[in-house]
Coordinates of all heavy atoms in Angstrom, one line a residue:
Q8 N 35.9 -83.4 1.8 CA 36.4 -84.1 0.7 C 36.1 -83.2 -0.6 O 35.1 -82.5 -0.6 CB 35.8 -85.4 0.5 CG 36.1 -86.4 1.6 CD 35.4 -87.7 1.4 OE1 35.0 -88.0 0.3 NE2 35.3 -88.5 2.4
R9 N 37.0 -83.2 -1.5 CA 36.7 -82.5 -2.8 C 35.6 -83.2 -3.5 O 35.5 -84.4 -3.5 CB 38.0 -82.5 -3.6 CG 37.7 -81.7 -4.9 CD 39.0 -81.6 -5.7 NE 38.7 -80.9 -7.0 CZ 39.6 -80.7 -7.9 NH1 40.8 -81.2 -7.8 NH2 39.3 -80.1 -9.0
L10 N 34.7 -82.4 -4.1 CA 33.6 -83.0 -4.8 C 33.9 -83.2 -6.3 O 34.1 -82.2 -7.0 CB 32.3 -82.1 -4.7 CG 32.0 -81.7 -3.2 CD1 30.8 -80.8 -3.2 CD2 31.7 -83.0 -2.4
F11 N 34.1 -84.4 -6.8 CA 34.5 -84.6 -8.1 C 33.2 -84.9 -9.0 O 32.5 -85.9 -8.7 CB 35.4 -85.8 -8.2 CG 36.8 -85.5 -7.7 CD1 37.1 -86.0 -6.4 CD2 37.7 -84.8 -8.4 CE1 38.3 -85.7 -5.9 CE2 38.9 -84.6 -7.9 CZ 39.3 -85.0 -6.6
L12 N 33.0 -84.0 -9.9 CA 31.8 -84.2 -10.8 C 32.3 -84.1 -12.2 O 32.3 -83.1 -12.9 CB 30.8 -83.0 -10.5 CG 30.4 -82.8 -9.1 CD1 29.5 -81.5 -9.0 CD2 29.7 -84.0 -8.5
H13 N 32.7 -85.2 -12.8 CA 33.5 -85.2 -14.0 C 32.6 -85.4 -15.2 O 31.7 -86.2 -15.2 CB 34.5 -86.4 -14.0 CG 35.6 -86.2 -13.0 ND1 36.4 -85.0 -13.0 CD2 36.1 -86.9 -12.0 CE1 37.3 -85.1 -12.0 NE2 37.1 -86.2 -11.4
N14 N 32.9 -84.6 -16.3 CA 32.4 -84.8 -17.6 C 30.9 -85.0 -17.6 O 30.2 -84.2 -17.1 CB 33.1 -86.0 -18.3 CG 34.6 -85.8 -18.4 OD1 35.1 -84.7 -18.3 ND2 35.3 -86.9 -18.5
H15 N 30.4 -86.1 -18.3 CA 29.0 -86.2 -18.4 C 28.3 -86.7 -17.1 O 27.1 -86.7 -16.9 CB 28.7 -87.2 -19.5 CG 29.3 -88.5 -19.3 ND1 30.6 -88.8 -19.6 CD2 28.8 -89.7 -18.8 CE1 30.9 -90.1 -19.3 NE2 29.8 -90.6 -18.8
S16 N 29.1 -87.3 -16.2 CA 28.6 -87.8 -15.0 C 28.6 -86.7 -13.9 O 29.7 -86.2 -13.5 CB 29.4 -89.0 -14.5 OG 28.9 -89.4 -13.2
V17 N 27.4 -86.3 -13.5 CA 27.4 -85.2 -12.5 C 27.8 -85.6 -11.1 O 28.3 -84.9 -10.3 CB 25.9 -84.6 -12.5 CG1 25.8 -83.5 -11.4 CG2 25.6 -84.1 -13.8
G18 N 27.6 -86.9 -10.8 CA 28.1 -87.3 -9.5 C 27.1 -88.2 -8.8 O 25.9 -88.0 -8.9
L19 N 27.6 -89.1 -8.0 CA 26.7 -89.9 -7.2 C 27.0 -89.8 -5.7 O 28.1 -89.7 -5.3 CB 26.9 -91.4 -7.6 CG 26.5 -91.8 -9.0 CD1 26.9 -93.2 -9.3 CD2 25.0 -91.6 -9.2
Y20 N 25.9 -89.6 -4.9 CA 26.0 -89.7 -3.5 C 25.1 -90.7 -3.0 O 23.9 -90.5 -3.1 CB 25.7 -88.3 -2.9 CG 26.7 -87.2 -3.2 CD1 26.6 -86.6 -4.4 CD2 27.7 -86.9 -2.4 CE1 27.5 -85.6 -4.8 CE2 28.7 -86.0 -2.8 CZ 28.5 -85.3 -4.0 OH 29.5 -84.4 -4.3
C21 N 25.6 -91.8 -2.5 CA 24.8 -93.0 -2.2 C 24.1 -93.4 -3.5 O 24.7 -93.6 -4.5 CB 23.8 -92.8 -1.0 SG 24.7 -92.4 0.5
R22 N 22.8 -93.4 -3.5 CA 22.0 -93.8 -4.7 C 21.4 -92.7 -5.4 O 20.6 -92.9 -6.3 CB 21.0 -94.9 -4.3 CG 21.6 -96.2 -3.7 CD 20.5 -97.2 -3.5 NE 21.1 -98.5 -3.0 CZ 20.3 -99.5 -2.7 NH1 19.0 -99.5 -2.8 NH2 20.9 -100.6 -2.2
E23 N 21.7 -91.5 -4.9 CA 21.0 -90.3 -5.5 C 21.9 -89.6 -6.5 O 23.1 -89.5 -6.3 CB 20.7 -89.3 -4.4 CG 19.7 -89.9 -3.4 CD 19.5 -88.9 -2.2 OE1 19.9 -87.7 -2.4 OE2 18.9 -89.3 -1.2
V24 N 21.4 -89.2 -7.6 CA 22.1 -88.5 -8.7 C 21.8 -87.0 -8.6 O 20.6 -86.6 -8.5 CB 21.7 -89.0 -10.1 CG1 22.5 -88.2 -11.2 CG2 22.0 -90.5 -10.2
L25 N 22.8 -86.2 -8.6 CA 22.6 -84.7 -8.5 C 21.8 -84.3 -9.7 O 22.1 -84.6 -10.8 CB 23.9 -84.0 -8.4 CG 24.7 -84.1 -7.1 CD1 25.9 -83.3 -7.2 CD2 23.8 -83.6 -5.9
D26 N 20.8 -83.4 -9.5 CA 20.0 -82.9 -10.5 C 20.7 -81.6 -11.1 O 21.0 -80.7 -10.4 CB 18.6 -82.5 -9.9 CG 17.7 -82.0 -11.0 OD1 17.8 -80.9 -11.4 OD2 16.8 -82.8 -11.4
V27 N 20.9 -81.7 -12.4 CA 21.6 -80.6 -13.1 C 20.8 -79.3 -13.0 O 21.4 -78.2 -12.8 CB 21.8 -81.0 -14.6 CG1 22.4 -79.8 -15.4 CG2 22.8 -82.2 -14.7
H28 N 19.5 -79.4 -13.1 CA 18.7 -78.2 -13.0 C 18.9 -77.5 -11.6 O 19.0 -76.3 -11.5 CB 17.2 -78.5 -13.2 CG 16.3 -77.3 -13.2 ND1 16.5 -76.2 -14.1 CD2 15.3 -77.0 -12.3 CE1 15.6 -75.3 -13.8 NE2 14.9 -75.7 -12.7
R29 N 19.0 -78.3 -10.6 CA 19.2 -77.8 -9.2 C 20.5 -77.1 -9.1 O 20.7 -76.2 -8.4 CB 19.0 -78.8 -8.2 CG 17.5 -79.2 -8.0 CD 17.3 -80.4 -7.1 NE 15.9 -80.8 -7.1 CZ 15.5 -82.0 -6.8 NH1 16.3 -83.0 -6.6 NH2 14.2 -82.3 -6.8
L30 N 21.5 -77.7 -9.8 CA 22.9 -77.1 -9.8 C 22.8 -75.7 -10.4 O 23.4 -74.8 -10.0 CB 23.9 -78.0 -10.6 CG 24.4 -79.2 -9.9 CD1 25.3 -80.0 -10.8 CD2 25.1 -78.9 -8.6
R31 N 22.0 -75.6 -11.5 CA 21.9 -74.3 -12.2 C 21.2 -73.3 -11.2 O 21.6 -72.1 -11.1 CB 21.1 -74.4 -13.5 CG 21.8 -75.0 -14.6 CD 21.1 -74.8 -15.9 NE 21.9 -75.2 -17.1 CZ 21.7 -76.3 -17.7 NH1 20.7 -77.1 -17.4 NH2 22.5 -76.7 -18.7
V32 N 20.2 -73.7 -10.5 CA 19.5 -72.8 -9.6 C 20.5 -72.4 -8.5 O 20.6 -71.3 -8.1 CB 18.3 -73.5 -9.0 CG1 17.7 -72.7 -7.8 CG2 17.2 -73.7 -10.1

Side-chain angles (χ1 to χ4, degrees):
Q8 298 179 17
R9 183 177 177 185
L10 307 178
F11 290 99
L12 308 175
H13 291 305
N14 302 338
H15 59 280
S16 176
V17 177
L19 294 174
Y20 293 85
C21 296
R22 297 184 179 180
E23 299 175 13
V24 179
L25 288 181
D26 185 282
V27 173
H28 181 62
R29 287 174 186 152
L30 283 179
R31 286 196 172 102
V32 171

